[in-house]
Structure formats: C-alpha cells, structure tokens
Amino acid sequence: IKLSAFMMPPPFDFVKLFTFRPEMVLCDLFAVTGKQWFDAFYRYGVPPGRMVLTGSPAYDSILRQKRRSDPKQLPKEARNLIGKKIVLFPQSPMSEGGERSIKNEDMIYKNIIESCSNIEGVELLIKVHPRDSIEHVSSRIKSIGLGGLRYHIYKGGTVDDILPFCSVLVTPGSTTLLNALIHDVPAILIGYLDFLYPPRFDESDVTVSKRPEDTAGLIRNAIFDDGTRNQMIEKGRKFLEKLVYKPNAGSARVIAGLVEKLASRR
C-alpha cells in the first residue's frame, strides 16, 4: 500500500514526477487520505479501482483529543493569554524549502504583526517552529523594525495544546492549517498575489489574504463578526472532509484492514 502524501508533487517539479509515477505503477493499492487527493491521484494516472478513501492516520489522535487541552500544559508564555482573543501564527522557516524568499518571509512577519497590533483586544501569539529558536525569531522581528509592536513568542508543546484557546489561525501554508480546522478554529491563509508559488487551495475552501492590506480586516471579521466566523468554521469543516475524508479518528484501523486483505492474497 502506498499512503497518499498530504501534498502531491507539484506539476513543475519534474524530478519528483519522474520518481513518483513509476512508484504508482508498482503499487497494488492506495490508501488515499481524502476526496481531493483521490481526484489528484486519478489525474496522475492511478486507476480508481486501486484507490481506497481511508482518511489520515496522522490526525487520528488529534481528532480523539479535540478540544481537551489543559491550560496547565501550556508554556508559561501563553498562560496569561487564556481568555483573550488570540491570533496564532505558527512560524516556520519557509525560505529553507525554497517556497518563499527571505523578502517574502519578512513581508509576512510585518503584515501579521502590524495587522494584529492595529486590532484592539487581540493578542498575537507566535509559535516558533521546532527547527528554529525564539532568539532567532525575536531578533529577526526586531531587525525589520517591529520590536516595539505587540506580540508574544513561545516554543514548546504541540500546536494542539494552544489551538482550542485561539480565535483564529493565520498561516502562509503550514501543515497546522488542518489542525486548526479539526479544532473548529477559523483559518486565514496568507497567499499574496505576487508570491512566486501561490497557495494550492481554492478560496471556496479556505479564506485567503491576497494582499497585505486585506489581512487585518479578515482577522477582525473572523474574530468579532459572528456571521463571518460561523461561515469560516463551516467552510473549514467541509474542506477538512475533502482532505481527510471522514474525521472520525478511525483511519489507522481502516488501513490496517487493507494491509490484512492484501496479505491474504499472497
């Protein structure tokens, strides 16, 4: 069985396509995480009869523990924010993977920090990526002239420890987008029009900030406008179903059953 990855090889990456497609031919069965990936694999030439929608075992434990976070498990930097309107920004070193330039990263930091600082009653919480350090992120923010604005930085624990206490997640494409949708937290994707690689998600599935000047308004509505917030949560639930099929925390059992079925053929 080949378990379908969260992201398909992009059409412009011919090296990945060359190594990926021969592997498809050799597979007896595909455990595909969701309907969107089923369609994508079909376009890549995988026969529908060899694909089974299973959901993603990566999210089974999160789905089981949904909204059970304990404030006592939170890092001390975040505990004093409980009860406030928190915007979570899961920072990641995007330029290391070539997806964003340093200039793009600086623009994202500037946009998110300035947007949240201009909204009364909102606290920005920046969760540092495991590969990065608080010191590096803090010095970088200060180097682009944002050190005097309002934000909080922490590292430690998992994003699922803090998401149940957050009002909205803002991300340029972190895998934590799915985590937010599982916790019914509205998500805003930073996808400026001038990015070299735009987001691969459709606007009908996730709210996208196409211009820096749009971000503050989107955050404000997601937090304080009940109608907009409810629409974003509902849109997130539908999108989650497309990505992980049935969010019922039973994917691992389904895949284990497929493995047993394949083994019995030999």
Side-chain angles (χ1 to χ4, degrees):
I1 293 180
K2 184 174 184 65
L3 177 66
S4 65
F6 172 64
M7 296 300 291
M8 294 290 291
F12 51 80
D13 193 333
F14 295 105
V15 175
K16 283 186 179 179
L17 285 178
F18 181 78
T19 58
F20 196 80
R21 280 186 167 158
E23 290 179 3
M24 291 181 171
V25 178
L26 299 174
C27 291
D28 295 302
L29 198 62
F30 282 75
V32 184
T33 58
K35 297 173 184 176
Q36 179 162 313
W37 309 126
F38 188 102
D39 295 339
F41 270 75
Y42 179 72
R43 292 195 299 270
Y44 271 69
V46 179
R50 276 201 261 168
M51 292 189 284
V52 178
L53 284 169
T54 62
S56 172
Y59 297 99
D60 281 357
S61 61
I62 302 172
L63 288 160
R64 284 194 296 269
Q65 298 170 9
K66 179 179 177 181
R67 292 218 168 261
R68 292 181 185 174
S69 286
D70 183 354
K72 296 178 182 178
Q73 297 177 351
L74 297 176
K76 62 180 184 299
E77 297 90 342
R79 289 176 192 166
N80 64 328
L81 299 180
I82 300 303
K84 299 182 180 180
K85 303 295 185 182
I86 301 173
V87 175
L88 181 64
F89 172 39
Q91 173 270 347
S92 61
M94 296 164 283
S95 60
E96 289 184 9
E99 189 174 354
R100 298 281 183 267
S101 66
I102 295 293
K103 181 180 179 181
N104 284 161
E105 283 192 23
D106 287 348
M107 186 189 307
I108 291 168
Y109 278 112
K110 180 177 173 62
N111 183 213
I112 294 176
I113 293 174
E114 288 184 341
S115 295
C116 292
S117 294
N118 290 327
I119 304 174
E120 187 176 351
V122 164
E123 300 289 342
L124 174 62
L125 183 59
I126 302 172
K127 186 184 189 307
V128 176
H129 193 274
R131 294 202 312 268
D132 219 328
S133 69
I134 292 177
E135 294 74 22
H136 175 257
V137 174
S138 180
S139 63
R140 182 170 183 178
I141 291 172
K142 291 175 182 177
S143 72
I144 53 180
L146 304 173
L149 297 183
R150 192 176 71 252
Y151 57 87
H152 311 268
I153 302 178
Y154 86 104
K155 179 178 179 178
T158 70
V159 72
D160 297 290
D161 292 331
I162 186 66
L163 269 172
F165 305 101
C166 295
S167 297
V168 66
L169 176 133
V170 182
T171 174
S174 168
T175 53
T176 54
L177 173 67
L178 278 179
N179 298 62
L181 300 184
I182 289 173
H183 289 282
D184 285 332
V185 175
I188 297 171
L189 188 64
I190 299 294
Y192 306 139
L193 294 170
D194 58 353
F195 278 169
L196 180 60
Y197 301 136
R200 299 173 189 172
F201 300 130
D202 191 88
E203 282 188 85
S204 61
D205 294 320
V206 63
T207 300
V208 180
S209 176
K210 292 184 175 181
R211 292 170 294 271
E213 57 267 28
D214 296 340
T215 306
L218 292 173
I219 292 173
R220 186 180 288 107
N221 288 338
I223 295 175
F224 299 109
D225 186 304
D226 290 341
T228 299
R229 182 175 181 81
N230 291 335
Q231 287 177 4
M232 291 177 70
I233 291 173
E234 184 58 29
K235 184 162 63 172
R237 289 172 179 169
K238 292 178 180 178
F239 188 33
L240 183 66
E241 186 173 339
K242 288 172 63 175
L243 294 173
V244 299
Y245 185 43
K246 291 183 178 180
N248 58 5
S251 302
R253 290 193 298 272
V254 174
I255 293 172
L258 294 177
V259 173
E260 291 180 350
K261 186 178 295 186
L262 273 180
S264 66
R265 297 182 189 174
R266 303 299 181 184

